Amino acid sequence: AAVPSPNQLNVRGLAIELWVVMDPQLAAVRRAARERFLAAAPRKQPSEQKPQGPQVALPEAAVVLPLLPEAAAVVLPTSMASLLRGLPADMLDGPISALLEDGDDEPAPAPPAKKHRAEPTTVHVPPERTAAIRELLAAPTPEELRILTWNIDGLDEVGGPEGLMLRTLEVALEVGRHRPAAVLLQEVVPSSLELLTSKEVLGCTYDVVLPEEDPRRPYYVAILLDRRQLRRVGRPSTANFPGTHMGRQLLAVAVEPVLPPLAGAPPLLLATAHLESTRDQAPERRRQLVQSLRHLRRVVGRTPVGATQGCAAVGSALLGGDLNLRDEEVKAVWRELGDEACGIADVWSFCGSPEDARWTWDTIDNDNTGSTFACRMRFDRMFFLTPGISDEPAAGASASSTSRRGKAGAKASKAPGEPHLVPRREQPEMAQGWRPTSLLLVGRRRIPGFGRFPSDHWGVLTAWQVGGAAGSAAVADKAGKVVIDLESS
């Protein structure tokens, strides 16, 4: 039989579709978290408890075929008689039309009127929280360009629809607090996207860019653009990863700033992806990263597809998202790309490898997954390409080499005379183009009244400027000799 497409599935079918797409290891972790959450919740009295699962009476000689974990079983009767068992003999002996005729008995009395109650899937959004979001969005925008990437964990079932609503609102509050011009989202589900983009939440300020597909997958990536800060240039593009088993893809769109002092800067390509999950999918994940980075290199220096005549060429491109990467995988991809990797930099390393922003998936400080093991990973990353800037000597360096240079510089700074900050006036004119200036993690507050974080991932917030003159500084000794270059360490 043909497998129904996601838009034809009912609620039970949608749950089954999610199990098919989500990898087993991730599913097991989420089930464990949900069970721990339910175990900690107050239990009802035995008289109030409902039977667990559907009570299905199996006919004789039936064959039971199990489907997926926690899914109901399918009962396949082996004879037509089992379907007709229970019908009176006169109906079995009569013509088939008799089964379709209206009975002559008096109609049964109408059931008593039911008390009105909300549907189980209906949740009420607290108006005070949406009002707080709109108040934050009404504040002035920052002077620098801010870009946020965040896996918002739309597949987390703990707390049910209300839990998803509370976590989604907390994501919107973080967006309002920091006012990024662009938000790169992963693991988005339809209900959370509908809430985020509603006029009462972020829809009053942000437009949404979605992958080009119909029907849409059960979860996907999305890009939010602040229409007061950015203008879209050309058409968005979607590139499906041919080897994915989890419905992963690359979504990209070119933008340009509209507010001073950044207005007139060259267009910037924003790309996001949710690369294949789990360690055993490393080969496919590496292929997806190679495809994504080659896309960045291909678009830089070219006019965006679908742009109006006279539009400037893309000056910079960045990839941000839940890339699920381990450091050894990045090194393997760089070896495979060879010269193609030149000039592509890791934003975290470029910003000085801040230790307090290293781990973006952290089961020690974030207990949303309910994991019993300690694991800290830098799954969420950004890479960027700006000719003349991202290809600076230290831009693409690894965290370990950056740390070694920092220690060496620190020892050198203890030479005669205390170090002091000086403008980098002696340096040659820096290339003009987009460069990251800072990076920090967001989403580290527990939701009041719920006790959980917005996601099992921290969000990665970056700030960007054009060129390098503003705020550029280096550490130098009193003789003026540069000891630690803060831009490249």
Side-chain angles (χ1 to χ4, degrees):
V3 178
S5 59
N7 63 338
Q8 297 171 324
L9 297 172
N10 55 22
V11 175
R12 183 183 297 274
L14 180 58
I16 293 175
E17 177 70 16
L18 288 174
W19 279 113
V20 172
V21 175
M22 188 163 45
D23 59 273
Q25 181 178 342
L26 185 58
V29 170
R30 298 192 188 284
R31 284 203 305 274
R34 185 172 185 272
E35 290 168 1
R36 289 189 183 90
F37 180 83
L38 295 176
R43 293 182 173 274
K44 296 182 179 180
Q45 296 300 323
S47 59
E48 299 176 349
Q49 290 183 353
K50 296 181 180 180
Q52 300 296 319
Q55 304 299 311
V56 181
L58 302 181
E60 295 180 4
V63 180
V64 180
L65 298 180
L67 290 179
L68 298 170
E70 300 184 3
V74 176
V75 179
L76 299 178
T78 57
S79 67
M80 184 62 70
S82 62
L83 293 176
L84 303 177
R85 186 179 292 113
L87 290 177
D90 57 335
M91 296 188 71
L92 292 174
D93 295 335
I96 293 179
S97 59
L99 300 176
L100 307 177
E101 294 175 356
D102 294 331
D104 296 331
D105 299 336
E106 294 184 3
K114 295 182 179 180
K115 295 182 179 180
H116 175 74
R117 66 181 180 87
E119 292 296 329
T121 56
T122 301
V123 294
H124 297 284
V125 179
E128 65 276 8
R129 298 202 182 189
T130 58
I133 294 169
R134 293 194 301 274
E135 182 178 355
L136 291 169
L137 294 176
T141 58
E143 289 191 359
E144 75 270 19
L145 187 76
R146 296 178 183 177
I147 300 173
L148 170 66
T149 180
W150 202 350
N151 178 328
I152 59 174
D153 197 14
L155 298 178
D156 185 356
E157 296 179 336
V158 175
E162 184 175 2
L164 178 62
M165 177 268 294
L166 292 173
R167 292 191 302 105
T168 302
L169 288 179
E170 192 65 23
V171 169
L173 277 169
E174 287 285 10
V175 171
R177 291 183 187 112
H178 299 285
R179 292 307 311 278
V183 186
L184 315 178
L185 297 175
Q186 305 86 48
E187 218 167 284
V188 179
V189 296
S191 52
S192 60
L193 181 68
E194 181 181 3
L195 180 57
L196 281 175
T197 58
S198 66
K199 295 299 183 183
E200 292 76 17
V201 186
L202 298 181
C204 58
T205 302
Y206 288 84
D207 294 325
V208 61
V209 179
L210 295 173
E212 301 167 355
E213 56 182 358
D214 188 24
R216 190 155 288 113
R217 295 179 169 119
Y219 66 98
Y220 39 87
V221 295
I223 299 177
L224 302 181
L225 301 176
D226 185 343
R227 65 178 72 95
R228 288 191 287 176
Q229 299 188 61
L230 294 176
R231 179 189 301 113
R232 201 167 75 182
V233 181
R235 296 191 302 269
S237 64
T238 304
N240 295 320
F241 296 127
T244 181
H245 298 288
M246 302 176 187
R248 306 299 168 83
Q249 58 206 168
L250 177 71
L251 175 65
V253 62
V255 298
E256 58 184 9
V258 297
L259 295 177
L262 300 177
L268 169 66
L269 183 90
L270 306 173
T272 186
H274 186 187
L275 301 189
E276 215 81 353
S277 305
T278 70
R279 179 174 289 276
D280 62 334
Q281 294 298 317
E284 172 59 24
R285 186 162 50 247
R286 291 196 299 266
R287 287 190 290 269
Q288 294 172 0
L289 180 60
V290 167
Q291 178 180 339
S292 301
L293 295 179
R294 282 176 171 161
H295 181 76
L296 299 191
R297 183 165 292 284
R298 188 164 54 248
V299 299
V300 170
R302 298 185 179 181
T303 303
V305 176
T308 58
Q309 187 175 7
C311 176
V314 172
S316 307
L318 71 85
L319 167 68
D322 177 7
L323 305 183
N324 280 306
L325 290 170
R326 285 75 170 169
D327 288 344
E328 63 271 14
E329 297 169 6
V330 177
K331 294 176 183 177
V333 167
W334 251 245
R335 287 193 297 268
E336 179 178 348
L337 287 173
D339 291 342
E340 292 181 276
C342 293
I344 299 177
D346 184 320
V347 172
W348 179 76
S349 298
F350 192 92
C351 291
S353 307
E355 190 61 30
D356 59 351
R358 178 190 291 267
W359 313 120
T360 67
W361 194 79
D362 183 353
T363 65
I364 298 176
D365 293 337
N366 188 324
D367 55 6
N368 271 27
T369 63
S371 301
T372 57
F373 56 87
C375 182
R376 285 179 159 177
M377 305 294 292
R378 192 161 69 94
F379 283 153
D380 306 82
R381 306 190 184 204
M382 277 191 188
F383 296 97
F384 83 106
L385 173 60
T386 302
I389 293 179
S390 59
D391 49 6
E392 290 178 353
S398 65
S400 59
S401 62
T402 300
S403 177
R404 287 194 296 271
R405 281 196 307 275
K407 292 178 181 178
K411 291 180 181 179
S413 68
K414 294 180 181 179
E418 292 294 326
H420 62 285
L421 290 175
V422 296
R424 192 191 286 173
R425 297 188 182 93
E426 71 278 14
Q427 298 297 318
E429 183 69 19
M430 301 184 69
Q432 292 299 306
W434 291 104
R435 66 168 52 230
T437 57
S438 65
L439 179 148
L440 59 90
L441 301 182
V442 302
R444 306 176 81 165
R445 309 181 189 186
R446 292 188 185 272
I447 302 171
F450 189 43
R452 291 171 64 80
F453 295 102
S455 171
D456 60 337
H457 291 248
W458 306 133
V460 180
L461 180 68
T462 57
W464 298 72
Q465 289 282 4
V466 176
S472 178
V475 175
D477 61 18
K478 290 185 178 179
K481 181 179 179 181
V482 174
V483 178
I484 305 175
D485 184 348
L486 297 182
E487 291 282 342
S488 60
S489 61

